[in-house]
Amino acid sequence: SPTPLRRDSKAKQPVSLKALMARKYKKKLLLIFYLTGLFFMTHTDLTSGFSHVNFIAQQFYLSDKAFHFFGYMGLMFLVLLTATQPLEKTDPNLRAKTARRVVTWSTVVILYAIADELTQPMFGRSCDMIDFIADAMGISIGQVIFAAGEAFGLRRSIKRLR
């Protein structure tokens, strides 16, 4: 049996190193898969010809701008969820640390969006400023959703359900 590293606050059960590593890397793995999918979606022309994306776009009258918006909204939310800790009342400096991390990671995601648009011509797509604006709007809404979730304590509520 692995030696306990710490006790789980709710159940007062010992948590093994293996369990801690699984919790830590689950979000990072999800973020890597999401980022890979986003890269694929933004660098291939999925709206031409018959594809599932084209079918969805036609059914709901969506342009590729909507895919950019929702893709970057999800990316920003996942990045912030992975890069920050839940706000606890016990650490007075955590709110300032979280704010710095939000600004830092938002800048990283904006730079990725710029790089994404600049590299699209290498894959047969056009570099479109309107796509970047959709990316930036999605990033902003992703921040708002994350902040609202933190304000209402949704991350702690989700942990209690496990």
Side-chain angles (χ1 to χ4, degrees):
S1 168
T3 58
L5 290 176
R6 65 177 187 158
R7 295 198 175 271
D8 194 347
S9 61
K10 277 291 184 193
K12 303 293 183 202
Q13 297 294 321
V15 178
S16 68
L17 178 61
K18 187 176 179 181
L20 282 174
M21 296 302 278
R23 287 182 191 172
K24 182 178 178 182
Y25 289 108
K26 222 183 276 186
K27 287 187 264 183
K28 288 181 182 178
L29 192 60
L30 176 64
L31 180 61
I32 290 168
F33 282 123
Y34 189 89
L35 192 57
T36 304
L38 184 64
F39 180 85
F40 174 74
M41 295 286 283
T42 59
H43 283 77
T44 56
D45 190 10
L46 296 172
T47 57
S48 67
F50 181 76
S51 69
H52 296 292
V53 175
N54 189 24
F55 178 74
I56 293 168
Q58 288 176 352
Q59 294 298 315
F60 296 102
Y61 305 106
L62 297 174
S63 71
D64 72 322
K65 309 313 179 233
F67 291 112
H68 278 266
F69 174 82
F70 288 112
Y72 276 90
M73 180 182 69
L75 177 63
M76 189 73 245
F77 180 78
L78 284 175
V79 164
L80 292 177
L81 189 65
T82 304
T84 60
Q85 299 172 352
L87 294 176
E88 300 288 338
K89 294 180 180 169
T90 57
D91 186 0
N93 297 327
L94 189 59
R95 191 172 298 276
K97 290 177 194 173
T98 299
R100 282 193 301 273
R101 284 186 177 174
V102 167
V103 170
T104 301
W105 284 104
S106 298
T107 304
V108 169
V109 174
I110 287 283
L111 291 173
Y112 176 77
I114 292 169
D116 184 36
E117 288 304 317
L118 293 176
T119 57
Q120 284 182 5
M122 295 180 220
F123 295 88
R125 300 232 15 222
S126 63
C127 179
D128 188 2
M129 186 63 172
I130 308 273
D131 281 350
F132 175 71
I133 291 170
D135 297 345
M137 288 173 57
I139 290 167
S140 298
I141 298 300
Q143 292 169 339
V144 168
I145 292 170
F146 176 78
E150 286 295 299
F152 291 112
L154 294 179
R155 196 184 324 207
R156 288 185 301 272
S157 298
I158 291 169
K159 282 186 177 181
R160 279 187 225 127
L161 294 176
R162 289 184 197 167

